[in-house]
Amino acid sequence: MERRAFRLNGFLVLLVLLVLGGAAAAIRLEVLGTEWAVLGAWGVLVALVASGFTVVNPNEAKVVQFLGRYVGSISDAGFQWLLPFTTRHKVTLRVRNFETAKLKVNDADGSPVEIAAVVVYKVTDTAKAAFAVDDYEQYIAIQSEAAVRHLATTHPYDSHESERTSLRDGAEVATELTTELRDRTELAGIEVIEARITHLAYAPEIAQAMLVRQQAGQIVAARTRIVEGAVGMVQLALDRLAAEGVVELDEERKAQMVSNLLVVLCGDRATQPVVNAGSLYA
């Protein structure tokens, strides 16, 4: 939709205007007619040409309209000259960022969480930014909040399942949020460079309960790993004893040995050894 507007170098047009003004002053005004009429016509011409001058700053564009019709955009920095009777709307091309408000939403598991994100973007199509939406800054702000809400409702705050993405998986969540925002803001001529979660926490009313739940989950996960390792070590010990013929153990002695090893390996406190000087069967 964006196209290049007709423009000329402003200094060149100004030079031509000065040359024509000097030439007109050199000609005897009586030859051309009434002095005041010529001066009036010259003044109108100067005002008409001067209305086309404009200044474009770096990383800035001007959207040009002629009598309500879009005629193009200019982004070349410097002193430019456009067609007279045109109106120009400034649109910044700088990379901009903003942070959404802290939103309170329910995650995929139904737990209330507080979430906020930072969005980095820039305008790539000035015509769409000026005419496709009413206010592109307000548009991207509202769409960002909608995308963050949608993201929070489709993922849990935390997940112990490897195949399930949680809100705490920063890279995956950032990629998903950026992709969704790009789809939402393409209509407004905006390119979302990056979007990342900056604040993520359980809502205050359930924060303490969820902390206890997380601690319990971590304890269970740690105990599971400890038991798995202990069983492997016991199996290795029995296999080595049998392979090297250190001692022959019947099933009852093996059960007693396995019990003792699991107590030592899985206990959360230091164990005290007890020397058995008698027989297991006494």
Side-chain angles (χ1 to χ4, degrees), residues 50-94:
S51 67
F53 290 116
T54 187
V55 176
V56 182
N57 298 318
N59 277 332
E60 181 182 285
K62 293 288 183 70
V63 179
V64 185
Q65 289 180 267
F66 181 73
L67 300 180
R69 187 172 66 89
Y70 171 67
V71 295
S73 303
I74 57 171
S75 57
D76 299 328
F79 186 47
Q80 311 290 347
W81 184 82
L82 305 174
L83 293 176
F85 300 116
T86 56
T87 57
R88 304 114 193 185
H89 305 284
K90 182 176 69 173
V91 177
T92 179
L93 302 179
R94 297 180 179 91

XYZ file of all heavy atoms in Angstrom, residues 50-94:
355
model
N 6.590 27.989 -1.844
C 7.100 27.822 -0.480
C 6.255 26.859 0.336
O 6.757 26.229 1.274
C 7.158 29.189 0.209
N 4.980 26.699 -0.013
C 4.128 25.778 0.740
C 4.525 24.321 0.544
O 4.071 23.450 1.281
C 2.666 25.975 0.322
O 2.472 25.563 -1.033
N 5.369 24.055 -0.452
C 5.793 22.681 -0.690
C 7.035 22.279 0.079
O 7.426 21.105 0.060
N 7.677 23.228 0.750
C 8.900 22.890 1.497
C 8.550 22.136 2.783
O 7.583 22.472 3.478
C 9.696 24.151 1.838
C 10.328 24.815 0.657
C 9.951 26.100 0.268
C 11.300 24.155 -0.076
C 10.534 26.707 -0.832
C 11.891 24.772 -1.178
C 11.504 26.042 -1.563
N 9.365 21.144 3.099
C 9.199 20.387 4.341
C 10.539 19.803 4.758
O 11.442 19.635 3.920
C 8.163 19.253 4.169
O 7.906 18.646 5.432
C 8.666 18.186 3.222
N 10.665 19.510 6.030
C 11.890 18.925 6.584
C 11.557 17.542 7.127
O 10.598 17.384 7.898
C 12.477 19.809 7.699
C 13.698 19.141 8.332
C 12.848 21.183 7.146
N 12.342 16.551 6.735
C 12.173 15.169 7.201
C 13.367 14.812 8.070
O 14.515 14.892 7.628
C 12.058 14.190 6.014
C 11.843 12.769 6.529
C 10.924 14.608 5.087
N 13.103 14.450 9.305
C 14.164 14.069 10.240
C 14.594 12.623 10.023
O 13.847 11.827 9.438
C 13.683 14.261 11.681
C 13.358 15.703 11.990
O 14.089 16.605 11.593
N 12.257 15.936 12.695
N 15.789 12.246 10.492
C 16.226 10.845 10.368
C 15.254 9.899 11.081
O 14.697 10.216 12.126
C 17.606 10.855 11.043
C 18.076 12.262 10.933
C 16.847 13.116 11.049
N 15.059 8.719 10.488
C 14.139 7.706 11.018
C 12.730 8.270 11.206
O 12.063 8.010 12.204
C 14.651 7.125 12.336
C 15.669 6.035 12.119
O 15.649 5.340 11.105
N 16.569 5.875 13.060
N 12.325 9.052 10.228
C 10.995 9.643 10.246
C 10.450 9.637 8.821
O 11.211 9.695 7.857
C 11.062 11.064 10.797
C 9.724 11.772 10.877
C 9.883 13.201 11.394
O 10.105 13.363 12.604
O 9.826 14.131 10.560
N 9.163 9.534 8.681
C 8.528 9.555 7.367
C 7.381 10.555 7.385
O 6.821 10.863 8.447
C 8.022 8.169 6.980
N 7.066 11.057 6.209
C 5.923 11.947 6.049
C 4.926 11.283 5.094
O 5.283 10.888 3.982
C 6.364 13.299 5.476
C 7.244 14.137 6.405
C 6.451 14.696 7.557
C 7.309 15.596 8.447
N 7.681 16.858 7.803
N 3.708 11.123 5.566
C 2.618 10.596 4.740
C 1.938 11.788 4.074
O 1.438 12.692 4.755
C 1.622 9.792 5.586
C 0.479 9.275 4.722
C 2.332 8.638 6.278
N 1.922 11.813 2.744
C 1.493 12.981 1.985
C 0.096 12.739 1.401
O -0.172 11.683 0.802
C 2.491 13.285 0.847
C 2.104 14.573 0.133
C 3.918 13.378 1.393
N -0.790 13.727 1.604
C -2.131 13.695 1.031
C -2.363 14.956 0.216
O -1.916 16.050 0.594
C -3.191 13.618 2.132
C -3.275 12.298 2.858
C -4.345 12.325 3.928
O -4.064 12.624 5.077
N -5.573 12.030 3.530
N -3.060 14.771 -0.902
C -3.428 15.913 -1.746
C -4.943 15.958 -1.861
O -5.561 15.084 -2.483
C -2.808 15.786 -3.128
C -3.131 16.933 -4.044
C -2.553 18.175 -3.853
C -4.032 16.769 -5.094
C -2.849 19.234 -4.688
C -4.344 17.817 -5.933
C -3.744 19.058 -5.719
N -5.533 16.944 -1.192
C -6.993 17.114 -1.192
C -7.694 15.833 -0.742
O -8.679 15.383 -1.339
C -7.482 17.546 -2.580
C -6.912 18.866 -3.096
C -7.461 19.184 -4.476
C -7.224 20.014 -2.133
N -7.168 15.212 0.309
C -7.772 14.018 0.888
C -7.337 12.710 0.275
O -7.692 11.644 0.790
N -6.567 12.746 -0.808
C -6.139 11.506 -1.468
C -4.688 11.223 -1.121
O -3.845 12.117 -1.150
C -6.308 11.627 -2.982
C -6.041 10.321 -3.739
C -6.428 10.480 -5.197
N -5.570 11.435 -5.884
C -4.418 11.100 -6.504
N -4.012 9.847 -6.511
N -3.706 12.024 -7.109
N -4.402 9.963 -0.789
C -3.035 9.580 -0.465
C -2.199 9.540 -1.744
O -2.546 8.849 -2.706
C -3.029 8.195 0.204
C -1.653 7.604 0.394
C -0.740 8.177 1.278
C -1.262 6.470 -0.313
C 0.526 7.627 1.453
C -0.009 5.913 -0.141
C 0.879 6.500 0.740
O 2.133 5.956 0.917
N -1.091 10.295 -1.754
C -0.248 10.360 -2.945
C 1.128 9.744 -2.728
O 1.913 9.656 -3.671
C -0.084 11.823 -3.417
C -1.414 12.389 -3.865
C 0.536 12.688 -2.326
N 1.446 9.324 -1.507
C 2.729 8.673 -1.282
C 3.341 9.075 0.055
O 2.786 9.878 0.811
N 4.506 8.514 0.309
C 5.242 8.804 1.544
C 6.694 9.100 1.200
O 7.225 8.605 0.199
C 5.169 7.611 2.508
O 3.832 7.273 2.808
N 7.335 9.907 2.022
C 8.761 10.173 1.853
C 9.463 9.880 3.176
O 8.944 10.180 4.255
C 9.036 11.632 1.420
C 8.442 12.617 2.435
C 8.495 11.898 0.036
C 8.844 14.046 2.187
N 10.633 9.256 3.064
C 11.413 8.922 4.257
C 12.866 9.359 4.128
O 13.663 9.062 5.021
C 11.345 7.411 4.514
O 11.816 6.685 3.385
N 13.206 10.043 3.031
C 14.572 10.536 2.853
C 14.785 11.753 3.742
O 14.102 12.780 3.597
C 14.828 10.910 1.385
C 14.675 9.708 0.470
O 14.972 8.589 0.918
O 14.240 9.890 -0.686
N 15.733 11.651 4.658
C 15.968 12.743 5.598
C 16.551 13.948 4.876
O 17.341 13.819 3.939
C 16.920 12.281 6.703
N 16.131 15.137 5.313
C 16.676 16.358 4.730
C 15.596 17.366 4.386
O 14.427 17.237 4.762
N 16.017 18.380 3.626
C 15.139 19.471 3.198
C 14.535 19.085 1.852
O 15.246 18.978 0.847
C 15.954 20.757 3.103
C 15.133 21.978 2.805
C 13.961 22.254 3.501
C 15.556 22.886 1.837
C 13.222 23.383 3.233
C 14.824 24.022 1.566
C 13.652 24.278 2.264
N 13.225 18.857 1.812
C 12.552 18.363 0.613
C 11.479 19.338 0.154
O 11.001 20.183 0.926
C 11.918 16.979 0.891
C 12.825 15.963 1.561
C 13.925 15.471 0.660
O 13.889 15.702 -0.552
N 14.922 14.799 1.230
N 11.108 19.170 -1.118
C 10.015 19.967 -1.675
C 8.976 19.032 -2.266
O 9.287 18.136 -3.053
C 10.523 20.910 -2.757
C 9.432 21.829 -3.284
C 8.992 22.989 -2.733
C 8.644 21.635 -4.469
N 7.987 23.548 -3.474
C 7.747 22.728 -4.561
C 8.612 20.645 -5.455
C 6.831 22.856 -5.587
C 7.691 20.775 -6.493
C 6.809 21.874 -6.553
N 7.733 19.222 -1.852
C 6.614 18.418 -2.341
C 5.653 19.301 -3.107
O 5.803 20.524 -3.155
C 5.889 17.763 -1.158
C 6.748 16.927 -0.216
C 5.924 16.477 0.982
C 7.325 15.720 -0.938
N 4.673 18.683 -3.700
C 3.661 19.445 -4.418
C 2.924 20.374 -3.464
O 2.628 20.002 -2.333
C 2.670 18.492 -5.095
C 3.226 17.628 -6.237
C 2.154 16.675 -6.725
C 3.728 18.500 -7.373
N 2.609 21.585 -3.912
C 1.858 22.514 -3.047
C 0.462 21.966 -2.740
O -0.032 21.042 -3.392
C 1.795 23.793 -3.896
C 2.906 23.662 -4.892
C 3.027 22.196 -5.186
N -0.146 22.540 -1.728
C -1.498 22.168 -1.280
C -1.578 20.731 -0.765
O -2.651 20.136 -0.758
C -2.532 22.368 -2.405
C -2.628 23.770 -2.889
C -2.280 24.084 -4.197
C -3.043 24.792 -2.055
C -2.361 25.386 -4.653
C -3.122 26.101 -2.516
C -2.781 26.407 -3.807
N -0.459 20.174 -0.363
C -0.476 18.823 0.214
C -0.346 18.925 1.733
O 0.291 19.834 2.258
C 0.683 17.961 -0.333
O 1.929 18.620 -0.091
C 0.505 17.708 -1.818
N -0.976 17.970 2.416
C -0.844 17.879 3.871
C 0.061 16.702 4.206
O 0.078 15.690 3.492
C -2.213 17.679 4.533
O -2.845 16.508 3.986
C -3.105 18.878 4.298
N 0.839 16.833 5.279
C 1.807 15.797 5.645
C 1.596 15.384 7.100
O 1.453 16.239 7.975
C 3.243 16.296 5.464
C 3.531 16.802 4.055
C 3.808 18.277 4.056
N 3.772 18.815 2.702
C 4.073 20.062 2.409
N 4.452 20.900 3.356
N 3.993 20.484 1.164
N 1.584 14.073 7.309
C 1.456 13.514 8.649
C 2.760 12.802 9.005
O 3.220 11.941 8.247
C 0.286 12.536 8.734
C -1.022 13.129 8.290
N -1.727 14.004 9.076
C -1.728 12.973 7.140
C -2.836 14.364 8.436
N -2.851 13.754 7.254
N 3.301 13.162 10.148
C 4.575 12.571 10.566
C 4.346 11.202 11.193
O 3.478 11.019 12.036
C 5.278 13.492 11.568
C 6.623 12.983 12.026
C 7.304 13.978 12.945
C 6.587 14.087 14.266
N 7.312 14.934 15.243
N 5.160 10.226 10.761
C 5.140 8.873 11.323
C 6.578 8.488 11.639
O 7.443 8.537 10.763
C 4.524 7.846 10.347
C 4.582 6.450 10.945
C 3.088 8.228 10.015
N 6.856 8.124 12.879
C 8.215 7.762 13.254
C 8.530 6.338 12.812
O 7.673 5.442 12.878
C 8.430 7.902 14.772
O 9.766 7.515 15.097
C 7.443 7.041 15.546
N 9.754 6.132 12.345
C 10.220 4.815 11.928
C 11.195 4.220 12.937
O 11.797 3.177 12.677
C 10.908 4.907 10.554
C 10.059 5.468 9.411
C 10.880 5.516 8.132
C 8.797 4.647 9.209
N 11.348 4.863 14.071
C 12.266 4.379 15.092
C 11.750 3.084 15.722
O 10.545 2.832 15.751
C 12.463 5.426 16.185
C 13.098 6.727 15.691
C 13.254 7.697 16.852
N 13.888 8.939 16.433
C 13.246 10.007 16.022
N 11.926 9.978 15.965
N 13.890 11.095 15.649
